[in-house]
Amino acid sequence: MRVMVVGGGVSNEHDVSLASAAAVADALATRHEVARATIARDGSWTVDGVAHAHPELVSALAEVDVVFPALHGAGGEDGTLQGFLTTLGVPFVGCGVEASAVCMRKDVTKAVLAAHGVATVEGRVVASAADAAAAVAALGSPVVVKPLADGSSVGLLVAQTSTDVAEACAEQPMLVERYAGGMEVDVAVVELDGVVRVGSPLEIVREPGGVFDASAKYGGEPPFVVPARLSPEVRARLEAESLRVFAALGCRGLARVDWFVDGDALICNEVNTMPGMTRLSQVPRMLAHAGVPFDDLVDGLVRGAVGALETV
């Protein structure tokens, strides 16, 4: 097949996306014809190094069998590109418009999962100093402050006081959550050969009182343990709940479901519809441990995407 792999993008995860796209394209190139597209920080496109205005881009997309949008964050993972491709009738890897948009907004994800009876980390949207004071009073201290619609743990911090929270939320509304204890565990959910399955759970080792922020994720060897140190009973429940979350949010193709495991309690943190896709990223690690090598994973994802056009 002819596959267009798209990387870069306008979000603050531009560089992370370039790494994902390069890894995916290199793996696919052993089995398919690959076009490498890059979205610059200003939103302009190149395909195989050649600048493409919108009419040329539409023509280039008409020549591919499937697109792998290895994009993270706003403009690429939030349904924007997915809507464009759906309108053009071009198959693409990953979630459709609705699931991409819902999962990008962490507060909306919480609302949908609550309606399905899935426990999530208690939190509030904070847009003012008054909101900050109310949030700390309700949630206690410390709290975790994170962007409403960003990934890669960018902007994630632990705050102790309402003043700290207000300062963190001064430029834009943020999600403020109760600090969750227990073990932080990720679960990869993928559709391969028409079957939805999970990878081996991955444990993120946190320092006491710490968070898995961008510096921990990209500052060296990430603190991952695969498989996570869970009892067989808890692991089975976690995998079943991850499949339920995937279905409840209308996901397809792939997603990473992030959890806190606190004793017998399973608390959903968030859901990423296009997580990092280098060979050392969480999802590929989880699938590799479960017996699916990286090249087979990305090949299976593009094959599964063909013919899976979303009806708008």
Side-chain angles (χ1 to χ4, degrees), residues 95-118:
C95 294
V97 177
E98 183 178 273
S100 297
V102 167
C103 293
M104 196 68 211
R105 277 289 299 255
K106 298 178 180 67
D107 55 334
V108 177
T109 303
K110 287 179 183 291
V112 174
L113 292 181
H116 286 267
V118 177

Side-chain angles (χ1 to χ4, degrees), residues 28-173:
L28 290 174
T30 64
R31 307 181 189 186
H32 303 281
E33 181 183 354
V34 174
R36 300 173 187 245
T38 300
I39 304 175
R41 295 181 191 276
D42 65 1
S44 60
W45 285 65
T46 59
V47 180
D48 292 329
V50 178
H52 277 52
H54 288 169
E56 297 165 325
L57 177 60
V58 171
S59 297
L61 286 167
E63 297 175 356
V64 304
D65 297 300
V66 59
V67 171
F68 197 123
L71 295 159
H72 313 309
E77 194 179 353
D78 59 1
T80 303
L81 181 61
Q82 289 76 10
F84 177 55
L85 296 173
T86 299
T87 300
L88 296 179
V90 179
F92 56 91
V93 171
C95 294
V97 177
E98 183 178 273
S100 297
V102 167
C103 293
M104 196 68 211
R105 277 289 299 255
K106 298 178 180 67
D107 55 334
V108 177
T109 303
K110 287 179 183 291
V112 174
L113 292 181
H116 286 267
V118 177
T120 63
V121 182
E122 185 181 358
R124 295 187 174 198
V125 176
V126 170
S128 67
D131 290 345
V136 172
L139 302 173
S141 181
V143 293
V144 175
V145 182
K146 59 177 69 171
L148 282 173
D150 252 325
S152 288
S153 306
V154 175
L156 183 69
L157 60 91
V158 177
Q160 300 290 337
T161 68
S162 60
T163 300
D164 296 335
V165 172
E167 290 177 355
C169 304
E171 294 186 3
Q172 62 181 352

Side-chain angles (χ1 to χ4, degrees), residues 188 190 192 197-202 226-227 235 277-298:
V190 297
L192 299 174
R197 58 176 295 183
V198 297
S200 301
L202 177 148
V226 185
R235 175 171 173 169
M277 287 298 291
T278 71
R279 291 179 181 272
L280 297 179
S281 299
Q282 286 120 294
V283 166
R285 288 194 192 207
M286 289 185 267
L287 269 298
H289 189 273
V292 183
F294 184 71
D295 290 13
D296 291 346
L297 171 62
V298 295

Side-chain angles (χ1 to χ4, degrees), residues 13 58 155 173 248 262:
E13 298 179 78
V58 171
D262 195 359

